[in-house]
Amino acid sequence: MTVEYKILKAQEADAREILELQYLAYQSEAQLNDDFAIQPLTQTLDELIAEYHKGVILKAVQNGEIIGSVRAYEENKTVYIGKLIVHPGHQGKNIGKRLLAAIEKEFPNKRYELFTSCKSDINLHLYEKAGYKRFREEISNGINFVYLEKQADDGTNIALGLCFGSCAGVLIGVLTDNIGLWLSIGIGIGLAIGASFPKKKKE
């Protein structure tokens, strides 16, 4: 029987346990890039605590043990997400997906940015499935990093699509003498159109 986990805001007292999990979780990343001096493996406790005071750190907890974490901070209307980690023994259970969604909810209706190694196929798949798009690559300390972004929908596109669909539905409904049916169809089509519009980039 699988024991359910909870996603909660981390406290400063959790910093050491999160750092130990970080060291463990980033071993695979270090192996991929043949570099065990990457920043997540050299970060100090004081540096992590500074990040805690700068933004928000979430933790996934099961049976009192932290099995996952993610952190983020906001600057100039962009939310920078980093160090999405899951204990190797708990991977493949959508914990990373849930942590990513949870940290976005801490900063609603913003532009989100994160990065990962170009060799991290699992991470790239997770981020792109969550709606992130690649927009830049950068080489740092010999490692090629891929930067991804996600634009929050402020509701404008949905509203426009809904307005268009409703108007079209009423018009066709009047012509066919079945306003109720066509209004419902029009609303559905309008919502679909609104959701498919490219999201505006926030300045």
Side-chain angles (χ1 to χ4, degrees):
M1 179 179 177
T2 302
V3 179
E4 185 57 45
Y5 59 89
K6 295 181 179 180
I7 295 178
L8 309 166
K9 278 191 177 181
Q11 303 302 314
E12 185 173 341
D14 296 316
R16 186 174 298 278
E17 186 176 355
I18 290 174
L19 187 62
E20 290 174 355
L21 175 61
Q22 178 176 308
Y23 289 161
L24 178 64
Y26 270 93
Q27 292 299 315
S28 59
E29 190 80 4
Q31 290 175 357
L32 273 177
N33 293 281
D34 193 24
D35 185 355
F36 287 84
I38 56 177
Q39 191 272 343
L41 294 183
T42 60
Q43 185 174 35
T44 67
L45 182 61
D46 287 342
E47 289 171 341
L48 193 155
I49 291 174
E51 289 186 357
Y52 167 80
H53 289 290
K54 184 178 183 179
V56 174
I57 299 181
L58 299 181
K59 59 182 179 179
V61 182
Q62 185 180 77
N63 287 335
E65 176 190 4
I66 297 176
I67 60 173
S69 180
V70 66
R71 64 199 71 166
Y73 69 93
E74 182 180 350
E75 188 174 279
N76 297 325
K77 296 184 180 180
T78 290
V79 176
Y80 296 93
I81 300 173
K83 300 196 174 63
L84 175 59
I85 53 176
V86 177
H87 189 289
H90 293 275
Q91 293 177 3
K93 301 177 182 177
N94 287 327
I95 298 174
K97 177 182 177 181
R98 285 189 58 192
L99 280 167
L100 183 58
I103 199 70
E104 289 177 1
K105 288 182 180 178
E106 293 291 326
F107 302 89
N109 299 320
K110 302 291 182 180
R111 173 184 177 270
Y112 308 102
E113 181 177 321
L114 45 76
F115 66 90
T116 189
S117 162
C118 69
K119 295 182 179 180
S120 302
D121 293 335
I122 294 176
N123 291 346
L124 288 168
H125 177 73
L126 168 65
Y127 300 147
E128 291 177 332
K129 194 171 181 181
Y132 285 79
K133 306 294 183 184
R134 306 184 193 202
F135 73 96
R136 186 173 95 240
E137 290 193 19
E138 182 179 293
I139 297 177
S140 177
N141 296 322
I143 299 177
N144 191 358
F145 291 102
V146 179
Y147 286 76
L148 303 96
E149 65 179 348
K150 181 178 180 179
Q151 306 290 345
D153 189 351
D154 62 3
T156 301
N157 291 338
I158 296 294
L160 288 172
L162 187 58
C163 180
F164 170 79
S166 299
C167 292
V170 169
L171 178 61
I172 297 174
V174 169
L175 295 175
T176 60
D177 199 27
N178 197 338
I179 292 179
L181 172 63
W182 282 102
L183 179 59
S184 298
I185 294 174
I187 290 174
I189 294 174
L191 288 173
I193 292 174
S196 68
F197 284 157
K199 296 179 175 62
K200 295 190 297 182
K201 186 163 184 174
K202 292 181 178 295
E203 300 298 332

